[in-house]
Each structure stands twice: as structure tokens, then as C-alpha cells.
Amino acid sequence: MSKVISAHAVSVDGFITGRDPGAGRGLGDASMLFDWYFDGDTPSQVFGGFKLSAPSSRLFDALAARVGAIVAGRRTYDDSDHFGGGSPHPGARLVVLSHRPAPEITDRQRLVTTGVHDAIAAARQAAGGKDVGLMGGGVVTEALRAGLVDEVVLHQVPVLLGGGRPFFGELPEHVRLRLVEAVPAPGVTHLRYEVAR
């Protein structure tokens, strides 16, 4: 069965955006969270235009190749200018989880308004046996609360942003993680965890 994974670039102090993110402003003042996408000399085999370091490329491409669909929250969708009517991943379908209508949804995207369980079920169907990726702190937190996440990957960038949107929201109880892999690379440390059941 496919897995549900969350992979996000995050600051050491736990933020996935800087201050003042939003439509037309992207991640606010936190673009450095993604410098490692372009600071290397190894082209990504999945994402055209990405040139990563060799250690980042191995891990990033292995994860990206597993993903067949993405579930993104409405705020992430809006802040990312609707992903240009497509998906944040070149080979994955997009499912947008929202509690309100989204008239800008295209035929390459799907809107689910009935909760995280239904959004992940729709993404599993669209993924064709591949994994489902989660995008946005709100979606990840909802999926963790529901016990639906199998892996959490932190692409931890050595910066303290001091503000922005935190990766994780409040959870009703502890979620234990088991470290599977730690990959140090220029400008980022990749930490891959399994969610302990």
C-alpha cells in the first residue's frame, strides 16, 4: 500500500515560511529555505531546473520519484498562486483540501471539502499506487491528528527565521518519530523519520 509522507524545508526554529507570506509574496522573507534546490551541480532527475548537491539529489529524487499525488491545504494553494493551474510536483496530481469553494480549481486539480480522510483517499486513488505527499503545515497537522502520516521528512536549513508560519500546529498528544536516515549536505540536513505506531 502507498505511504503518506510529508517532506518540507524547515528552519532550525521550525518555520516553513518567513514573515508576511501570501499570494504574490510566496513564502515571505524565507526564500533561503530553498537555496539548496539550486546551489549544487547535480541536476534533479524529477524536477527540471533543480541543481542540487550530490547527497541532496540522491535523497530528494528518491523521495520525489515515489510521489504520485499531493494534498495541499488551501492557504498553501493560495500562497503559491494556485500552482499555475497544475501541481507543485511535475509528475503528481494535486488535491486541494479546503473548507470553502475554490472557483479557480482547474481540471488538472481536485478540490475536496469533506476533510483530510477524504482528501488523502482521493489522492491515493489519483496516485496510481505511488505515495501521497502532504504540503502545508495545516494539512500535515490534520493528517497527524488523524493518524494518517507514515513518514515525516525535514529538510532542515541552518537558519533561525524568528517568525513566520510554524511547520506543525498543536497536536492532541505526542507523536513519536523514529529516525530512519540523516543525510548532511551543503546548506541543508535531510532527516527522514517514520511515524511510530
Side-chain angles (χ1 to χ4, degrees):
M1 183 174 211
S2 68
K3 291 185 175 182
V4 176
I5 64 174
S6 165
H8 282 73
V10 61
S11 66
V12 172
D13 52 350
F15 293 101
I16 58 173
T17 76
R19 293 170 187 84
D20 199 31
R25 297 182 309 278
L27 299 176
D29 64 354
S31 63
M32 76 285 296
L33 290 178
F34 299 97
D35 287 349
W36 60 276
Y37 283 179
F38 309 104
D39 284 351
D41 55 9
T42 306
S44 170
Q45 299 302 304
V46 180
F47 279 72
F50 284 22
K51 290 188 85 174
L52 308 114
S53 68
S56 287
S57 179
R58 280 190 295 277
L59 181 123
F60 180 84
D61 280 353
L63 284 171
R66 292 171 39 188
V67 175
I70 300 282
V71 176
R74 178 64 181 270
R75 186 164 40 180
T76 299
Y77 178 72
D78 288 342
D79 289 354
S80 301
D81 295 321
H82 313 137
F83 300 108
S87 172
H89 186 296
R93 302 283 300 184
L94 177 65
V95 175
V96 179
L97 175 60
S98 179
H99 299 293
R100 61 188 195 277
E104 58 280 337
I105 292 285
T106 70
D107 59 355
R108 294 171 40 213
Q109 303 168 335
R110 178 168 176 190
L111 175 67
V112 174
T113 60
T114 52
V116 71
H117 285 277
D118 290 340
I120 289 175
R124 280 191 196 277
Q125 185 177 26
K130 287 188 164 189
D131 291 344
V132 171
L134 303 177
M135 193 168 183
V139 165
V140 172
T141 299
E142 281 189 55
L144 283 166
R145 284 182 189 136
L148 298 173
V149 181
D150 299 301
E151 290 184 23
V152 174
V153 179
L154 304 177
H155 304 295
Q156 191 177 64
V157 177
V159 64
L160 298 169
L161 292 176
R165 287 194 193 130
F167 186 8
F168 300 104
E170 187 174 327
L171 295 167
E173 58 189 31
H174 297 299
V175 175
R176 296 209 179 265
L177 305 175
R178 182 173 34 257
L179 183 65
V180 174
E181 186 176 19
V183 178
V188 63
T189 299
H190 307 282
L191 303 167
R192 188 164 68 95
Y193 298 94
E194 287 180 347
V195 176
R197 303 269 192 243

